[in-house]
Amino acid sequence: MSKDHLFKPGQTGNPNGRPKDKTPATKLRKAIADAMPEILAQLVEQAKAGDVAAAKVLIDRVCPPLKPQALPVSLPVNGSLAEQGGEIIRATLAGQIPPDIGSQLITALAAQSKIIEVDELTKRIEALEAKQ
């Protein structure tokens, strides 16, 4: 197969290149940027008039929502997975662990149980195959 039709290194098939600032997205961004002072003024007026959605847009831009901070969790690590799960649920219900963290911990325990299950089955299969 001949490679005569391919461009040589450093040689382009479009010497003028893609025109700058001519794509629809670029034009839209420029139009929005040009109108931004009027857009913001209108949002402020709408928020002052009681438009909750406009107020939310402004507040979200000025004061973004706080991201949850991971707090250290101290739980006993001994006992069965069921006992550990029970302890996580108890601590969550007592308010010692936030509900989202408790849910993540329970999900992690469930994943760990699957890993243990697969590991035990693999060992059992290998033992059976070794007897054959």
Side-chain angles (χ1 to χ4, degrees):
M1 182 175 228
S2 174
K3 293 187 179 184
D4 295 337
H5 65 280
L6 296 177
F7 296 112
K8 309 255 186 292
Q11 182 182 22
T12 180
N14 186 0
N16 294 329
R18 180 183 298 168
K20 291 191 183 262
D21 300 331
K22 300 295 181 192
T23 65
T26 305
K27 288 178 182 179
L28 179 61
R29 281 191 201 99
K30 182 168 178 7
I32 291 171
D34 291 344
M36 191 55 66
E38 293 88 10
I39 293 170
L40 289 175
Q42 183 69 31
L43 272 174
V44 169
E45 289 306 315
Q46 289 174 347
K48 285 181 180 179
D51 185 341
V52 177
K56 180 174 177 9
V57 168
L58 290 170
I59 289 171
D60 286 348
R61 285 283 144 208
V62 175
C63 305
L66 297 175
K67 294 182 180 171
Q69 302 258 335
L71 301 173
V73 176
S74 177
L75 292 172
V77 292
N78 52 0
S80 69
L81 290 177
E83 292 169 341
Q84 291 176 18
E87 185 62 27
I88 291 168
I89 291 170
R90 187 201 59 72
T92 302
L93 292 174
Q96 297 169 335
I97 299 174
D100 59 331
I101 301 297
S103 174
Q104 290 174 359
L105 290 171
I106 292 293
T107 301
L109 276 180
Q112 179 66 16
S113 73
K114 289 290 185 188
I115 292 170
I116 291 170
E117 182 181 337
V118 169
D119 186 49
E120 288 176 355
L121 287 173
T122 302
K123 288 177 182 175
R124 291 173 68 185
I125 290 170
E126 288 172 351
L128 289 172
E129 288 175 346
K131 286 183 180 180
Q132 295 293 335

